[in-house]
Amino acid sequence: MPDSPIRPEVVVLITDLDLDRRDDRTRPYHRDGRPFTRAEHALLATSTKAEIAAAHTQMRLEAEWQRELDEMKDAFVELLMKYFAKLPKGSVVSDAVEIMTDEDYAEFERLAEIVTAEDTLEYRALHEES
């Protein structure tokens, strides 16, 4: 018997399921607080083990990406603070950039593009190879 295909729309619903919502357990909710429609609820009820596994894999990857992004944000702040410590109170980022070493400036540019992106998908679309 051939494997059943994984339906992306089901995987997306599973990954968007708010598992922390405790106030209303009678229906599923999206992470943004919207209740699932009847059609979404019905589709969710047909999810297969393979789709649930795919959703868990996706959630694990998203959590890993978020951890990496958080680490880059921390590194960005640490880099700037290294230079702000040398500057008078009231200094701005451009003041810190002016006194950076070439190596730190290259790192600043790399991190600034990542941590200031509108969202991680924008960054991935610009930088990951297909």
Side-chain angles (χ1 to χ4, degrees):
M1 182 171 160
D3 290 334
S4 61
I6 293 176
R7 298 167 294 171
E9 64 276 16
V10 175
V11 174
V12 168
L13 283 178
I14 296 168
T15 62
D16 195 31
L17 187 60
D18 184 352
L19 299 173
D20 296 323
R21 187 164 182 135
R22 303 280 186 241
D23 60 330
D24 183 1
R25 295 178 183 241
T26 61
R27 64 188 304 180
Y29 285 83
H30 292 273
R31 285 194 253 172
D32 67 4
R34 293 176 296 121
F36 275 47
T37 65
R38 288 177 197 216
E40 289 171 328
H41 194 184
L43 186 58
L44 188 63
T46 67
S47 60
T48 65
K49 288 181 182 180
E51 290 163 340
I52 293 169
H56 284 223
T57 298
Q58 179 63 31
M59 289 185 284
R60 203 169 33 257
L61 290 171
E62 288 175 10
E64 181 182 320
W65 173 252
Q66 188 60 55
R67 276 191 302 279
E68 289 175 11
L69 183 59
D70 290 344
E71 289 170 6
M72 287 185 255
K73 287 178 180 180
D74 290 344
F76 183 71
V77 170
E78 286 176 26
L79 177 63
L80 285 173
M81 295 310 292
K82 175 172 128 179
Y83 289 96
F84 277 124
K86 300 174 184 180
L87 293 167
K89 189 174 183 171
S91 296
V92 294
V93 171
S94 59
D95 298 325
V97 168
E98 286 180 18
I99 63 170
M100 283 183 181
T101 64
D102 290 343
E103 183 179 317
D104 281 348
Y105 181 71
E107 181 67 355
F108 168 82
E109 283 207 317
R110 182 185 79 81
L111 291 171
E113 194 170 310
I114 297 167
V115 302
T116 60
E118 291 278 324
D119 64 36
T120 56
L121 292 177
E122 174 185 331
Y123 176 79
R124 286 181 167 181
L126 291 173
H127 295 91
E128 288 188 352
E129 295 178 11
S130 298

Short mmCIF file of all heavy atoms in Angstrom, two decimals, residues 6-7 10-12 14-15 47-61:
data_model
loop_
_atom_site.label_atom_id
_atom_site.label_comp_id
_atom_site.label_asym_id
_atom_site.label_seq_id
_atom_site.Cartn_x
_atom_site.Cartn_y
_atom_site.Cartn_z
N ILE A 6 1.50 13.80 2.18
CA ILE A 6 1.38 14.78 3.25
C ILE A 6 0.77 16.03 2.65
O ILE A 6 1.27 16.59 1.68
CB ILE A 6 2.76 15.07 3.88
CG1 ILE A 6 3.25 13.82 4.59
CG2 ILE A 6 2.68 16.25 4.84
CD1 ILE A 6 4.64 13.93 5.17
N ARG A 7 -0.34 16.45 3.23
CA ARG A 7 -1.05 17.64 2.74
C ARG A 7 -0.49 18.88 3.46
O ARG A 7 -0.62 19.00 4.69
CB ARG A 7 -2.55 17.50 3.00
CG ARG A 7 -3.19 16.32 2.27
CD ARG A 7 -4.58 16.02 2.77
NE ARG A 7 -4.49 15.54 4.17
CZ ARG A 7 -5.54 15.36 4.95
NH1 ARG A 7 -6.77 15.61 4.50
NH2 ARG A 7 -5.39 14.92 6.19
N VAL A 10 -2.69 20.83 5.86
CA VAL A 10 -2.92 20.21 7.17
C VAL A 10 -1.72 20.47 8.08
O VAL A 10 -1.88 20.81 9.25
CB VAL A 10 -3.19 18.69 7.03
CG1 VAL A 10 -3.30 18.04 8.40
CG2 VAL A 10 -4.46 18.46 6.21
N VAL A 11 -0.53 20.34 7.52
CA VAL A 11 0.68 20.61 8.29
C VAL A 11 0.66 22.06 8.80
O VAL A 11 0.97 22.32 9.97
CB VAL A 11 1.95 20.32 7.46
CG1 VAL A 11 3.21 20.74 8.21
CG2 VAL A 11 2.01 18.84 7.09
N VAL A 12 0.27 22.99 7.94
CA VAL A 12 0.20 24.41 8.34
C VAL A 12 -0.80 24.58 9.49
O VAL A 12 -0.53 25.29 10.46
CB VAL A 12 -0.17 25.30 7.14
CG1 VAL A 12 -0.53 26.71 7.59
CG2 VAL A 12 0.98 25.35 6.15
N ILE A 14 -1.72 22.38 11.71
CA ILE A 14 -1.17 21.79 12.94
C ILE A 14 -0.12 22.71 13.54
O ILE A 14 -0.10 22.93 14.76
CB ILE A 14 -0.57 20.39 12.66
CG1 ILE A 14 -1.67 19.43 12.21
CG2 ILE A 14 0.15 19.85 13.89
CD1 ILE A 14 -1.15 18.12 11.64
N THR A 15 0.74 23.30 12.70
CA THR A 15 1.80 24.18 13.23
C THR A 15 1.22 25.48 13.78
O THR A 15 1.86 26.14 14.59
CB THR A 15 2.86 24.51 12.16
OG1 THR A 15 2.25 25.21 11.08
CG2 THR A 15 3.57 23.27 11.68
N SER A 47 -6.12 14.68 10.06
CA SER A 47 -4.65 14.64 9.96
C SER A 47 -4.12 13.23 10.20
O SER A 47 -4.65 12.47 11.01
CB SER A 47 -4.02 15.62 10.94
OG SER A 47 -4.38 15.31 12.26
N THR A 48 -3.09 12.90 9.46
CA THR A 48 -2.47 11.57 9.56
C THR A 48 -1.24 11.64 10.47
O THR A 48 -0.75 12.72 10.79
CB THR A 48 -2.02 11.09 8.17
OG1 THR A 48 -0.98 11.95 7.70
CG2 THR A 48 -3.18 11.06 7.18
N LYS A 49 -0.75 10.48 10.86
CA LYS A 49 0.47 10.43 11.67
C LYS A 49 1.63 11.09 10.94
O LYS A 49 2.44 11.79 11.54
CB LYS A 49 0.82 8.99 12.02
CG LYS A 49 -0.10 8.37 13.03
CD LYS A 49 0.31 6.94 13.36
CE LYS A 49 -0.67 6.33 14.34
NZ LYS A 49 -0.31 4.96 14.68
N ALA A 50 1.70 10.88 9.63
CA ALA A 50 2.78 11.48 8.83
C ALA A 50 2.68 13.01 8.83
O ALA A 50 3.69 13.71 8.90
CB ALA A 50 2.76 10.94 7.41
N GLU A 51 1.47 13.53 8.75
CA GLU A 51 1.28 14.98 8.76
C GLU A 51 1.61 15.57 10.12
O GLU A 51 2.22 16.64 10.22
CB GLU A 51 -0.15 15.33 8.33
CG GLU A 51 -0.38 15.05 6.86
CD GLU A 51 -1.83 14.99 6.45
OE1 GLU A 51 -2.72 14.79 7.30
OE2 GLU A 51 -2.08 15.14 5.23
N ILE A 52 1.24 14.86 11.16
CA ILE A 52 1.58 15.32 12.52
C ILE A 52 3.08 15.31 12.71
O ILE A 52 3.66 16.25 13.25
CB ILE A 52 0.86 14.45 13.57
CG1 ILE A 52 -0.66 14.68 13.48
CG2 ILE A 52 1.37 14.74 14.97
CD1 ILE A 52 -1.50 13.70 14.28
N ALA A 53 3.74 14.26 12.23
CA ALA A 53 5.21 14.19 12.32
C ALA A 53 5.86 15.32 11.52
O ALA A 53 6.82 15.94 11.98
CB ALA A 53 5.70 12.83 11.83
N ALA A 54 5.33 15.59 10.34
CA ALA A 54 5.86 16.68 9.51
C ALA A 54 5.68 18.03 10.21
O ALA A 54 6.58 18.88 10.19
CB ALA A 54 5.18 16.69 8.15
N ALA A 55 4.54 18.22 10.86
CA ALA A 55 4.29 19.46 11.60
C ALA A 55 5.25 19.59 12.78
O ALA A 55 5.79 20.68 13.02
CB ALA A 55 2.84 19.50 12.08
N HIS A 56 5.50 18.51 13.47
CA HIS A 56 6.44 18.56 14.60
C HIS A 56 7.84 18.89 14.11
O HIS A 56 8.56 19.66 14.76
CB HIS A 56 6.42 17.23 15.36
CG HIS A 56 5.22 17.07 16.22
ND1 HIS A 56 5.26 16.58 17.49
CD2 HIS A 56 3.91 17.35 15.99
CE1 HIS A 56 4.04 16.56 18.01
NE2 HIS A 56 3.22 17.02 17.10
N THR A 57 8.23 18.32 12.99
CA THR A 57 9.54 18.63 12.41
C THR A 57 9.60 20.12 12.05
O THR A 57 10.60 20.79 12.35
CB THR A 57 9.80 17.77 11.16
OG1 THR A 57 9.80 16.40 11.56
CG2 THR A 57 11.11 18.12 10.49
N GLN A 58 8.56 20.63 11.43
CA GLN A 58 8.52 22.05 11.07
C GLN A 58 8.60 22.94 12.30
O GLN A 58 9.33 23.93 12.32
CB GLN A 58 7.25 22.36 10.27
CG GLN A 58 7.13 23.82 9.87
CD GLN A 58 8.25 24.27 8.95
OE1 GLN A 58 8.77 23.50 8.17
NE2 GLN A 58 8.60 25.54 9.04
N MET A 59 7.87 22.59 13.35
CA MET A 59 7.89 23.39 14.58
C MET A 59 9.27 23.36 15.23
O MET A 59 9.75 24.37 15.75
CB MET A 59 6.82 22.91 15.55
CG MET A 59 5.42 23.26 15.08
SD MET A 59 4.10 22.84 16.25
CE MET A 59 3.97 21.07 16.05
N ARG A 60 9.93 22.20 15.16
CA ARG A 60 11.28 22.08 15.71
C ARG A 60 12.24 22.97 14.92
O ARG A 60 13.08 23.67 15.50
CB ARG A 60 11.71 20.61 15.67
CG ARG A 60 12.78 20.25 16.64
CD ARG A 60 13.03 18.76 16.80
NE ARG A 60 12.86 17.93 15.63
CZ ARG A 60 11.80 17.14 15.40
NH1 ARG A 60 10.81 17.07 16.26
NH2 ARG A 60 11.73 16.39 14.32
N LEU A 61 12.11 22.98 13.60
CA LEU A 61 12.96 23.82 12.76
C LEU A 61 12.70 25.31 13.03
O LEU A 61 13.65 26.10 13.09
CB LEU A 61 12.73 23.51 11.28
CG LEU A 61 13.24 22.16 10.80
CD1 LEU A 61 12.76 21.88 9.37
CD2 LEU A 61 14.76 22.10 10.87
#
